[in-house]
Amino acid sequence: MTQASSAVVEMRGLSLLRGNRVILDDIDLRLEAGQSLAVVGPSGAGKTTILRLLAGLEMPSAGELHLFGRRQDYLRLDQHLPPDVRLVSQNPALLGSLSVLHNVGFLLYRGGLLSDKEIKERVARCLEAVGLAGTEDLMPAELSGGMQKRVSFARAMIDDPAADSANPLLLFDEPTAGLDPVASTRIEDLMVTTTRLSRGTSVVVSHVLSTIERSAEQVVLLYDGKLRWQGSVEAFRCSDNPYVVQFRTASLVGPMQPQEL
């Protein structure tokens, strides 16, 4: 029997096919507790598929995926099952019929392990951390887009006693896409704060260089379903790997061919 890894994330020879199309091809990747990883590459490279696999929304066609030392062999879909994986998508995905309090504390109310007072205290701490203290009774429709995004970060950092791990895996999907530089900086700071306060491990998918450099310690570059480069953020800044150079400089010249528009 293969012994499970003690890393938070470990992919071993992982591949994913959709029909005859290869989405991911023989991926080996390891992420230790407390580390932060940026997954980069052009559109269609397989980046979001990595997040979907980690979130339990898809399963690999070949190879193994281990989270928190346990092999994953089921889809999680709408169930909140261990391990503790939290996805922050581009869309805040708040429930319009619920207040900020119930959106942020949704899993705690459903778990039934805490009193109303304890849940409100935990939600209040998270809202204060994202600069939204006192907004518990507001509805999503009463919030700006930026405020809704911050509520989604508060929801990601909530401490869930029903979770199997005290150190969650946080997944951020293009969190600063379409934002101006000032708004991007605020979101990048929130990503760092959310990961630190939740004592978590993070994976961010992004095309934005400032987001990559401010929110991650390690970088992997995907192209055509394969890992073409991996290393530290410092090495990413100066690497002469042709894939990294082309991505950093946004050049049309290099091994990565632009998709047809």
Side-chain angles (χ1 to χ4, degrees):
M1 179 180 296
T2 303
Q3 185 176 2
S5 168
S6 61
V8 172
V9 172
E10 186 164 19
M11 298 179 177
R12 304 175 183 171
L14 186 147
S15 298
L16 188 140
L17 305 177
R18 293 196 185 116
N20 294 324
R21 185 183 174 200
V22 178
I23 307 300
L24 296 173
D25 186 8
D26 197 24
I27 302 294
D28 289 318
L29 180 65
R30 183 182 176 95
L31 187 61
E32 302 290 344
Q35 288 187 323
S36 52
L37 173 73
V39 181
V40 307
S43 298
K47 304 184 302 299
T48 297
T49 301
I50 293 280
L51 292 190
R52 289 181 60 80
L53 286 164
L54 294 176
L57 302 177
E58 292 196 61
M59 292 301 297
S61 305
E64 298 180 7
L65 170 62
H66 295 261
L67 297 180
F68 300 95
R70 294 158 57 181
R71 182 168 178 170
Q72 304 302 292
D73 54 8
Y74 57 87
L75 292 174
R76 284 190 285 280
L77 299 177
D78 292 330
Q79 302 178 66
H80 181 63
L81 295 173
D84 189 1
V85 181
R86 309 175 188 182
L87 175 63
V88 180
S89 60
Q90 295 183 49
N91 185 326
L94 302 183
L95 298 172
S97 61
L98 298 182
S99 67
V100 168
L101 169 65
H102 286 86
N103 265 285
V104 176
F106 182 78
L107 293 177
L108 305 187
Y109 280 107
R110 190 171 70 168
L113 298 178
L114 299 174
S115 68
D116 284 353
K117 180 176 182 294
E118 290 173 314
I119 293 174
K120 289 177 181 179
E121 289 173 350
R122 293 186 184 214
V123 170
R125 288 196 295 269
C126 293
L127 288 173
E128 182 176 5
V130 300
L132 290 177
T135 62
E136 286 90 337
D137 295 330
L138 295 180
M139 302 298 288
E142 300 177 271
L143 306 175
S144 68
M147 292 172 73
Q148 290 186 28
K149 199 154 191 127
R150 282 188 277 164
V151 170
S152 72
F153 276 83
R155 181 175 57 193
M157 69 172 68
I158 199 78
D159 185 15
D160 182 5
D164 190 49
S165 170
N167 309 103
L169 175 61
L170 304 176
L171 310 177
F172 300 99
D173 187 11
E174 295 284 4
T176 56
L179 298 180
D180 63 70
V182 174
S184 292
T185 298
R186 288 174 178 159
I187 292 299
E188 289 156 5
D189 286 345
L190 274 179
M191 290 169 61
V192 175
T193 300
T194 301
T195 303
R196 176 174 53 82
L197 292 181
S198 66
R199 304 179 301 280
T201 303
S202 67
V203 179
V204 57
V205 163
S206 182
H207 292 89
V208 182
L209 287 175
S210 67
T211 301
I212 296 163
E213 295 195 349
R214 287 171 58 86
S215 63
E217 302 163 335
Q218 300 291 318
V219 181
V220 297
L221 189 148
L222 276 172
Y223 177 65
D224 200 23
K226 292 181 177 289
L227 273 185
R228 307 292 180 169
W229 185 89
Q230 54 186 311
S232 67
V233 168
E234 291 76 13
F236 182 78
R237 294 189 184 109
C238 59
S239 173
D240 60 0
N241 176 281
Y243 291 94
V244 175
V245 171
Q246 186 180 2
F247 183 86
R248 275 200 324 254
T249 60
S251 174
L252 295 179
V253 179
M256 297 187 292
Q257 297 302 308
Q259 294 186 335
E260 294 294 333
L261 299 178

